[in-house]
Amino acid sequence: MTEATQMQGKYSPVTLLPALRLFIDARNRANEIGFPDNGGAIHSVERILDILCHRVKYPFLRHINSLKTHPDAECSVGAQMARQRGEKVLIEHVMPQRDFAKAVIKLVGDGATNEKVVSFIQEHYRLVLLSQEETTALNRLNRSRMTPNRLADAGIEIFRPDRTPSLPAT
């Protein structure tokens, strides 16, 4: 067993991709008989996909909440300042989970291989730390649709270590 497999435990892409395809098929069948996503048809797809995305994009984390304290976590300027002050930060799925799941469902429906699904995740899945205020502003503007500049559209600037924000003098 490789070190990466040990870190991922029993939930690795090898075991999660077949499960994802199974739940995509079940979701599609449920939709065909009139059972909608809002009723729960898509929930298993979202859950398996979220675990898969964590394993593919963030294999160094045992639990996603560890991202909040990870020194290399991508974060906004507001979240970086909140972390410096010891305040709570929140994990933002830059691509809203439901819309991201629908994009993967379409990809699989179009015949994508497992490698293409993993490549899509690598390219598009992204978690960013935000302050509570930024999260509220983002959700008010766009809580549920993937857009190319979702964070920037909400006025959220990503922290760059070479441009360290300073705390205001007290």
Side-chain angles (χ1 to χ4, degrees), residues 141-160:
L141 180 67
N142 175 5
R143 180 183 166 98
S144 59
R145 295 282 169 228
M146 291 192 304
T147 62
N149 301 306
R150 187 166 169 255
L151 296 176
D153 292 346
I156 297 170
E157 181 183 350
I158 297 299
F159 171 71
R160 306 282 181 231

Side-chain angles (χ1 to χ4, degrees), residues 20-154:
L20 176 65
R21 290 179 180 279
L22 174 72
F23 287 117
I24 287 172
D25 185 49
R27 176 266 185 179
N28 290 340
R29 288 183 188 188
N31 282 179
E32 287 170 9
I33 64 165
F35 192 74
D37 288 339
N38 284 344
I42 199 169
H43 291 171
S44 292
V45 174
E46 291 172 331
R47 178 66 179 133
I48 296 299
L49 184 58
D50 195 43
I51 296 168
L52 175 62
C53 290
H54 296 168
R55 298 303 191 259
V56 167
K57 196 75 184 255
Y58 303 97
F60 50 88
L61 297 176
R62 279 304 264 165
H63 191 278
I64 199 63
N65 278 336
S66 301
L67 187 66
K68 293 178 183 180
T69 57
H70 197 281
D72 297 326
E74 184 177 19
C75 64
S76 68
V77 170
Q80 178 64 15
M81 293 174 75
R83 283 172 31 157
Q84 288 176 344
R85 293 187 300 260
E87 296 173 2
K88 181 178 178 179
V89 294
L90 302 171
I91 299 171
E92 173 59 37
H93 290 81
V94 177
M95 302 297 171
Q97 290 180 287
R98 172 75 49 94
D99 213 26
F100 189 75
K102 287 180 177 180
V104 171
I105 289 167
K106 181 178 181 340
L107 192 68
V108 168
D110 290 344
T113 63
N114 286 346
E115 291 76 19
K116 284 188 180 183
V117 172
V118 169
S119 178
F120 182 83
I121 291 168
Q122 282 285 5
E123 186 176 338
H124 297 284
Y125 187 80
R126 182 176 167 209
L127 298 174
V128 175
L129 301 179
L130 300 180
S131 69
Q132 291 185 23
E133 296 79 17
E134 290 168 326
T135 300
T136 299
L138 179 64
N139 287 339
R140 282 188 181 140
L141 180 67
N142 175 5
R143 180 183 166 98
S144 59
R145 295 282 169 228
M146 291 192 304
T147 62
N149 301 306
R150 187 166 169 255
L151 296 176
D153 292 346

